[in-house]
Amino acid sequence: MKARVHVMLKNGVLDPQGEAVRHALGSLGFDGVEGVRQGKVIELDLAEGTTEDTVKDMCEKLLANTVIESYTIDMG
Amino acid sequence: MKARVHVMLKNGVLDPQGEAVRHALGSLGFDGVEGVRQGKVIELDLAEGTTEDTVKDMCEKLLANTVIESYTIDMG
């Protein structure tokens, strides 16, 4: 089974990567890009029967830094 | 309006970041993690009326390295 985890910087936390992308898009002539936030997506291939709680545990312990990042889990 | 772009390494391209996460999860006692792929997610805040074609253009020109990465676009 698959699970997909999105890890994004929390609102209010400066995102220099996203800001760099926004600038670069502007330089390339793409107007109207008002904001960019960049995060991580982690696709996990898990043994059958793994619960969402286990994935949540993985996020808390390793995948996300919960001080500055938030995460969402999609079980697929 | 919002758009969300996922950029993942293509299948067959070595993903050392994902592999490192898989190892680390194993070390933390999470069994049954058969594979991990790590990619990027880019959330774009765009002017109203921006088309998916424009976002595709952004991906081709900047957001993804299409030699080794594939991307998917969700217009929100």
Side-chain angles (χ1 to χ4, degrees):
Chain A
M1 64 181 297
K2 301 264 186 190
R4 181 179 260 203
V5 175
H6 286 98
V7 180
M8 300 296 293
L9 285 169
K10 288 181 179 170
N11 286 333
V13 179
L14 202 67
D15 179 2
Q17 262 189 309
E19 204 53 25
V21 170
R22 195 175 67 81
H23 265 274
L25 286 171
S27 306
L28 287 171
F30 293 104
D31 298 324
V33 180
E34 286 153 19
V36 179
R37 303 284 285 176
Q38 184 170 328
K40 290 181 288 188
V41 55
I42 300 154
E43 288 185 355
L44 300 158
D45 195 3
L46 298 166
E48 285 305 318
T50 308
T51 61
E52 186 164 338
D53 277 350
T54 307
V55 179
K56 198 175 165 190
D57 214 22
M58 292 177 188
C59 291
E60 296 282 340
K61 285 191 180 154
L62 181 75
L63 303 179
N65 173 358
T66 53
V67 177
I68 55 167
E69 293 171 331
S70 59
Y71 61 86
T72 53
I73 298 168
D74 301 311
M75 303 299 283
Chain B
M1 63 180 296
K2 301 263 187 190
R4 181 180 260 202
V5 175
H6 285 98
V7 180
M8 299 294 294
L9 285 167
K10 287 181 179 169
N11 285 333
V13 179
L14 201 67
D15 179 2
Q17 261 188 311
E19 204 52 27
V21 170
R22 195 175 66 79
H23 265 274
L25 286 171
S27 307
L28 286 171
F30 293 105
D31 298 325
V33 180
E34 286 153 21
V36 179
R37 305 284 284 174
Q38 185 170 328
K40 288 180 289 189
V41 56
I42 300 154
E43 289 185 353
L44 300 159
D45 195 2
L46 299 166
E48 285 305 317
T50 308
T51 62
E52 185 163 339
D53 277 350
T54 306
V55 179
K56 199 176 165 190
D57 214 22
M58 292 177 189
C59 291
E60 295 283 338
K61 286 192 180 152
L62 181 74
L63 303 180
N65 174 357
T66 54
V67 177
I68 54 167
E69 292 171 329
S70 60
Y71 60 86
T72 53
I73 298 168
D74 301 310
M75 303 298 284

